[in-house]
Amino acid sequence: MKKQYFGTDGIRGKVGEFPINAEFMLKLGWATGRVLASDKNPRVIIGKDTRISGYLFESSLKAGLVAAGVETLLIGPMPTPGIAYLTRTLRCSAGIVISASHNPYWDNGIKFFSSEGLKLSDDVELEIEKVLAEPMQMCESHKLGKARYVTDAAGRYIEFCKSTVPSSINLKDLTIVIDCAHGATYHIAPAVFRELGANVIKMGCEPNGLNINEGFGSTSPQTLVEKVKETGADLGIAFDGDGDRVIMVDEKGQIVDGDEFVYIIASDSKQSGRLQGGVVGTLMSNLGLEIALKEKEIPFARSKVGDRYVMELLKDNDWLVGGESSGHIICLDKTSTGDGIVAALQILLAMKKSQKSLHQLKSEMVKYPQKMINVRFSQTESDPIEHPSVIDAVKKVEDELGEEGRVLLRKSGTEPLIRVMVEGKNNDVVTTKAEQLAKVVREICPIPTH
């Protein structure tokens, strides 16, 4: 059975357009409660980011859950990984996140966590969708659920984040710029780093419901680059709207991305004897990461793009460290999901232990030039990537690059785009080859003019 509403990361769309409206959220809460009704005394926690529509959907989901007889805990603005953590520690049947991550305020979405703080399985999502198709019926009055606020949620999560590094670590000699994207980390991240001793310079910490991700955060790192240079800070840390992604800026104003995080964390873990097995990246991970890990004799595997697939491959291999170039970093020895604050703390821990700056650690991995070109195509039954002309062109470029380069063509999961990516040692060669392949793709899948 194919899922109708759930994508690879929950349900997401434009506010006011089905299914991102109050009526659907009411029924989604009820359907979720019905699926969880088999639990004894089911309890669900709801958290959100800072976009204005969160108030509406929080109320709708709460009403649906209560109508299904589920105790509902409300924690207000909280990073997505914080909701996963609290779902586990408060022994909830599930956790619900109201967020559209790095999207603008006019979008919103719903993500779920299981009682273990993991993404819901496909089977559970399908069961929720099955119940959504049924008429909504309240349970009897004496079986209705109750709702209450958890007043110490922020403090609980702050202490958890701090616990992921040794208590001996003191950041008092570091000045750090923290960019919270006017999102869910605005009241969490500055406190974590300040309580660990750092001199914190805040930015993007004044959410008004409409400014989430607007010119700030991990998707707009240039703002942080400028602030680090202006203040002479030791480094900068930028989170996305819901706090599960992180990008850093070193003392020279250079951006440090998820591939470099994975390398730094894995290298430090191996040196200290904590690394279990190898590391998982994705099809988009830079070739330089693979080569740098190979030099340290650290196994490396690639998953499909998406933190869900990184997690699946980590569990299949019984490994602990994985991530995406975009800054989704998973440290399974610390927590159950990708966590921007926890990942940043592991980088600072590596800096402290090695007595090296962020730029020095970053420089140990040499990134290969990478060129990405998006080619729009019409949605037809044929797959442009499987066209003989495209296959032949890809093979030719791969043969020319040899072991010192890589070609990847993949469909976007959200738009009618073919992403053409080429990597290699020489930037001019990489750019030329990517443009050649993009031209072939365009020729066999022209866009309709009407």
Side-chain angles (χ1 to χ4, degrees):
M1 181 178 174
K2 188 176 181 181
K3 288 185 283 190
Q4 183 178 356
Y5 302 112
F6 286 91
T8 56
D9 198 20
I11 303 169
R12 190 180 297 185
K14 188 173 182 180
V15 173
E17 295 181 1
F18 185 83
I20 310 301
N21 59 34
E23 295 88 347
F24 180 84
M25 294 302 166
L26 174 66
K27 196 167 186 186
L28 178 63
W30 169 80
T32 303
R34 280 280 307 278
V35 170
L36 299 173
S38 58
D39 288 4
K40 186 176 182 180
N41 301 319
R43 176 189 295 167
V44 171
I45 192 167
I46 301 177
K48 60 185 180 179
D49 64 22
T50 57
R51 62 195 76 220
I52 195 167
S53 58
Y55 295 101
L56 172 65
F57 299 138
E58 178 186 56
S59 297
S60 299
L61 288 162
K62 177 185 71 173
L65 287 162
V66 168
V70 176
E71 180 186 2
T72 304
L73 307 182
L74 304 171
I75 57 174
M78 178 64 61
T80 290
I83 298 165
Y85 166 72
L86 291 165
T87 301
R88 296 196 316 271
T89 60
L90 294 175
R91 305 302 189 266
C92 294
S93 306
I96 298 179
V97 182
I98 305 170
S99 175
S101 189
H102 57 277
N103 289 28
Y105 79 89
W106 54 79
D107 288 338
N108 216 331
I110 306 296
K111 292 186 277 193
F112 290 87
F113 287 109
S114 70
S115 58
E116 294 83 25
L118 303 171
K119 299 284 178 70
L120 287 187
S121 68
D122 289 336
D123 289 343
V124 175
E125 290 180 346
L126 284 168
E127 185 62 26
I128 292 173
E129 292 202 355
K130 181 180 176 182
V131 178
L132 277 167
E134 300 174 5
M136 182 174 169
Q137 293 181 333
M138 284 176 49
C139 64
E140 298 175 41
S141 295
H142 69 281
K143 293 182 179 178
L144 289 172
K146 296 180 180 179
R148 61 184 173 90
Y149 285 91
V150 180
T151 57
D152 61 347
R156 286 172 180 254
Y157 180 54
I158 288 168
E159 288 305 312
F160 163 71
C161 291
K162 289 159 56 182
S163 76
T164 65
V165 293
S167 57
S168 58
I169 293 296
N170 193 320
L171 306 180
K172 63 182 179 180
D173 57 340
L174 292 178
T175 295
I176 304 175
V177 181
I178 304 289
D179 177 359
C180 294
H182 299 303
T185 60
Y186 79 97
H187 59 317
I188 304 288
V192 169
F193 294 95
R194 187 180 294 116
E195 289 180 21
L196 289 173
N199 174 33
V200 171
I201 301 172
K202 297 193 301 182
M203 58 189 294
C205 293
E206 298 177 2
N208 62 16
L210 306 176
N211 59 359
I212 188 170
N213 300 312
E214 186 179 359
F216 289 87
S218 62
T219 53
S220 301
Q222 196 56 42
T223 307
L224 181 62
V225 168
E226 292 166 3
K227 193 68 172 180
V228 169
K229 289 180 176 178
E230 173 194 324
T231 60
D234 295 289
L235 57 103
I237 306 173
F239 304 98
D240 68 340
D242 73 330
D244 61 358
R245 279 170 37 169
V246 60
I247 292 294
M248 295 176 77
V249 172
D250 67 22
E251 69 275 18
K252 296 182 181 293
Q254 296 180 8
I255 293 171
V256 185
D257 69 10
D259 288 340
E260 290 156 324
F261 293 160
V262 168
Y263 173 77
I264 293 169
I265 292 170
S267 298
D268 176 68
S269 296
K270 179 164 186 180
Q271 188 170 2
S272 62
R274 294 182 290 110
L275 186 65
Q276 181 174 305
V279 167
V280 173
T282 74
L283 295 172
M284 297 304 297
S285 297
N286 194 277
L287 186 59
L289 170 62
E290 184 172 351
I291 291 171
L293 290 173
K294 186 177 181 180
E295 290 174 353
K296 287 186 173 286
E297 299 182 338
I298 297 175
F300 178 72
R302 294 180 184 269
S303 74
K304 291 190 292 184
V305 175
D307 62 325
R308 183 183 192 124
Y309 302 112
V310 174
M311 180 71 78
E312 287 177 359
L313 194 50
L314 283 172
K315 289 188 171 296
D316 287 346
N317 289 333
D318 198 24
W319 294 352
L320 299 174
V321 179
E324 298 186 275
S325 311
S326 61
H328 274 122
I329 308 299
I330 300 172
C331 301
L332 288 180
D333 57 333
K334 305 298 180 185
T335 189
S336 64
T337 190
D339 189 317
I341 296 175
V342 170
L345 288 172
Q346 307 318 303
I347 300 296
L348 295 176
L349 176 61
M351 289 172 58
K352 283 289 182 180
K353 288 165 63 178
S354 66
Q355 292 297 298
K356 293 179 179 178
S357 70
L358 180 56
H359 182 76
Q360 288 173 315
L361 290 178
K362 168 188 184 295
S363 300
E364 292 177 8
M365 175 191 136
V366 179
K367 292 179 70 174
Y368 274 40
Q370 186 181 86
K371 179 68 176 179
M372 170 87 76
I373 300 176
N374 292 324
V375 180
R376 190 167 292 276
F377 71 101
S378 58
Q379 295 282 26
T380 62
E381 292 184 6
S382 60
D383 186 347
I385 295 175
E386 297 299 324
H387 193 281
S389 299
V390 175
I391 293 173
D392 290 345
V394 169
K395 187 178 186 308
K396 181 180 178 183
V397 172
E398 287 177 335
D399 290 343
E400 291 171 349
L401 293 173
E403 294 184 359
E404 295 186 344
R406 193 167 67 95
V407 176
L408 175 67
L409 270 65
R410 71 179 185 92
K411 286 183 178 179
S412 166
T414 56
E415 300 175 88
L417 297 174
I418 301 294
R419 303 198 191 280
V420 179
M421 188 272 287
V422 177
E423 275 183 325
K425 280 193 168 181
N426 184 287
N427 187 60
D428 291 338
V429 171
V430 163
T431 301
T432 299
K433 297 305 178 185
E435 290 171 347
Q436 288 176 2
L437 288 176
K439 182 180 179 183
V440 174
V441 175
R442 288 192 191 98
E443 288 173 350
I444 64 101
C445 55
I447 304 170
T449 56
H450 57 80

